[in-house]
């Protein structure tokens, strides 16, 4: 089908809750995707970080297709070996603890919110989150999100959420009351514009949380699975959270989310207290095992650190010719390029015309997050396209 036909069907049958670009993707292979008209693009924002190790990674395809021949779904009233194996992998890469499986980032965060509420019940219930944060679109997670635009029209919102400025320990201290039970934050804010947490801030936050028995929850939905050069972003800070939530690239393209609870808090949620019909089903868990294998066996964490440095250096070089580039920030391959312009989406649009997919967030931040399998050659191609786009615009 051609784009025009697809758009026609959408107009008639699909709720218009998204602003969509004129692009219908029909194929993906590694860092490359192809659209309905036969055009090829190099993908430096693969599915909002979902295809974190690239499209159709062979290890993911192998694991998932083997499972297709066995069984598709197993109810959570029974055991399925793959769920156990993924939980084991996650724990081996994080901290002693236990895993709950969900289907998405929002659902993983709902689990963490329920964990906190249950832990504080009945006297403490307040959860502190950050301004410019993003935690999802369900009622509880949009309330947790520190951006007004996602809340408009959905009142009344659940009670007990409070927002404070990111990287401001005094603001956090002042916000804590005897009702506070948890703080939830991203180690690098994604939607918020690639804002990296200060090491000292996280250290102090963690210390305060321990002292006041406040749960420290890291929303790793966007940062997980090596994106920042560590398997999970909290590892950069030398602390240990009470819980982390995962989704996006965990399934290598398959929908899977997870909440990981530290052993210290593993007895809070008991049998019957939380559930998800599809959570941790065999196919998505098989795919997640493939993702872990790729990261472990192909040295992808090391690649992320190296390619992150190379990509930043390449854009810095570009900055010498284009003063419209204001600054670069990020961690590993989670990179934000601040543009000196009101609306940088025209840069992303021009990159798209050049055959490069990137994202623009918070109006003037270009968000660049290639698959962590990216090579120097890929980066050279993308930076040249970005350069061409900037040439067109300035
Ligand atoms: C994308 C995202 C979510 C929401 O995940 P969904 O799978 O869309 O529900 C939550 N938190 C962060 C940090 C995200 O980037």
């Amino acid at each position: 089908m051609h784009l025009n036909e697809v758009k026609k069907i959408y107009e008639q049958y699909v709720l218009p809750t998204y602003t969509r670009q004129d692009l219908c993707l029909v194929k993906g292979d590694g860092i490359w995707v192809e659209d309905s008209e036969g055009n090829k693009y190099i993908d430096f924002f693969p599915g909002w970080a979902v295809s974190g190790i690239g499209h159709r990674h062979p290890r993911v395809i192998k694991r998932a297709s083997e499972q297709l021949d066995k069984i598709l779904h197993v109810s959570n009233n029974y055991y399925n070996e793959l769920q156990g194996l993924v939980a084991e992998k996650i724990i081996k890469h994080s901290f002693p603890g236990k895993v709950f499986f969900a289907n998405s980032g929002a659902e993983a965060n709902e689990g963490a919110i329920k964990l906190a509420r249950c832990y504080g019940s009945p006297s403490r219930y307040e959860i502190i989150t950050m301004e410019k944060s993003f935690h999802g679109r369900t009622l509880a997670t949009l309330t947790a999100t520190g951006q007004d635009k996602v809340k408009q029209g959905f009142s009344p919102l659940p009670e007990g959420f409070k927002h404070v400025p990111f990287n401001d320990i005094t603001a956090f201290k002042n916000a804590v009351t005897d009702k506070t039970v948890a703080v939830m934050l991203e180690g690098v804010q994604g939607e918020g514009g690639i804002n990296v947490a200060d090491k000292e801030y996280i250290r102090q936050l963690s210390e305060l949380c321990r002292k006041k028995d406040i749960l420290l929850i890291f929303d790793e939905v966007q940062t997980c699975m090596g994106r920042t050069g560590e398997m999970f972003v909290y590892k950069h800070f030398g602390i240990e959270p009470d819980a982390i939530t995962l989704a996006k690239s965990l399934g290598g393209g398959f929908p899977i989310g997870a909440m990981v609870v530290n052993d210290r808090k593993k007895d809070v949620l008991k049998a019957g207290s939380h559930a998800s019909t599809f959570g941790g089903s065999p196919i998505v868990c098989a795919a997640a095992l493939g993702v872990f294998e790729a990261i472990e066996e192909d040295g992808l964490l090391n690649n992320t650190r190296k390619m992150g440095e190379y990509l930043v250096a390449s854009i810095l070089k570009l900055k010498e010719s284009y003063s419209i580039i204001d600054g670069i920030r990020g961690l590993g391959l989670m990179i934000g390029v601040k543009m000196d312009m009101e609306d940088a989406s025209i840069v992303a649009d021009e990159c798209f015309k050049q055959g490069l997919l990137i994202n623009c967030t918070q109006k003037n931040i270009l968000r660049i997050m290639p698959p962590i399998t990216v090579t120097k050659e890929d980066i050279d191609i993308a930076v040249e396209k970005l350069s061409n786009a900037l040439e067109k615009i300035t």
Side-chain angles (χ1 to χ4, degrees), residues 17-171:
T17 59
Y18 300 90
T19 5
R20 289 179 208 271
Q21 219 160 334
D22 273 343
L23 178 63
C24 174
L25 292 179
V26 295
K27 273 187 204 161
D29 183 17
I31 200 165
W32 293 93
V33 289
E34 192 180 317
D35 73 9
S36 50
E37 320 305 299
N39 302 309
K40 291 208 165 74
Y41 303 83
I42 191 162
D43 196 353
F44 271 53
F45 196 63
W48 229 260
V50 165
S51 302
I53 57 169
H55 296 271
R56 299 185 78 255
H57 193 287
R59 289 187 191 267
V60 172
I61 298 296
K62 181 165 180 289
R63 281 282 192 172
S65 30
E66 278 169 9
Q67 190 55 39
L68 277 176
D69 288 334
K70 293 182 184 161
I71 189 167
L72 300 188
H73 181 71
V74 172
S75 127
N76 272 315
N77 298 107
Y78 304 135
Y79 291 95
N80 98 60
E81 54 192 6
L82 289 156
Q83 188 176 120
L85 291 174
V86 176
E88 182 181 32
K89 278 282 183 205
I90 293 174
I91 294 304
K92 290 213 159 131
H93 282 282
S94 53
F95 38 71
K98 296 217 162 95
V99 183
F100 172 85
F101 287 98
N103 305 286
S104 68
E107 200 192 346
N109 285 338
E110 284 275 346
I113 291 166
K114 281 181 72 175
L115 173 82
R117 286 279 166 89
C118 206
Y119 183 63
S121 174
S123 55
R124 296 192 294 153
Y125 54 84
E126 223 166 60
I127 298 171
I128 298 177
T129 63
M130 301 296 143
E131 290 173 6
K132 288 199 173 171
S133 61
F134 183 81
H135 299 297
R137 298 292 201 135
T138 62
L139 266 186
T141 57
L142 75 80
T143 308
T145 292
Q147 305 189 49
D148 288 338
K149 64 179 183 194
V150 303
K151 308 184 192 209
Q152 276 157 21
F154 298 115
S155 301
L157 300 175
E159 287 172 45
F161 291 89
K162 221 186 220 181
H163 309 297
V164 297
F166 191 53
N167 273 336
D168 183 342
I169 196 69
T170 312

Side-chain angles (χ1 to χ4, degrees), residues 214-290:
I214 294 169
L215 299 191
L216 177 59
I217 302 165
F218 266 71
D219 178 343
E220 297 249 14
V221 170
Q222 197 163 142
T223 51
C224 69
M225 308 313 286
R227 174 54 48 195
T228 66
E230 293 281 358
M231 188 64 89
F232 304 116
V233 75
Y234 80 82
K235 290 177 170 256
H236 287 279
F237 305 107
I239 53 100
E240 202 177 272
D242 296 292
I244 60 177
T245 55
L246 323 174
K248 292 209 166 88
S249 61
L250 176 59
F254 285 85
I256 176 172
M259 168 180 61
V260 191
V261 182
N262 196 300
D263 260 348
R264 296 191 299 267
K265 302 292 183 294
K266 72 175 189 309
D267 298 323
V268 177
L269 292 175
K270 301 197 164 48
S273 60
H274 195 39
S276 174
T277 298
F278 283 107
S281 93
I283 299 279
V284 298
C285 283
L289 277 182

Side-chain angles (χ1 to χ4, degrees), residues 31 33 50 52 84 90 96 173-174 179 223 277 284 291 296 310 362 366 371-372:
I31 200 165
V33 289
V50 165
I90 293 174
K173 272 184 197 160
N174 292 339
K179 300 266 179 285
T223 51
T277 298
V284 298
V291 174
E296 289 169 353
Y310 183 68
Q362 300 291 322
L366 299 178
I372 62 174

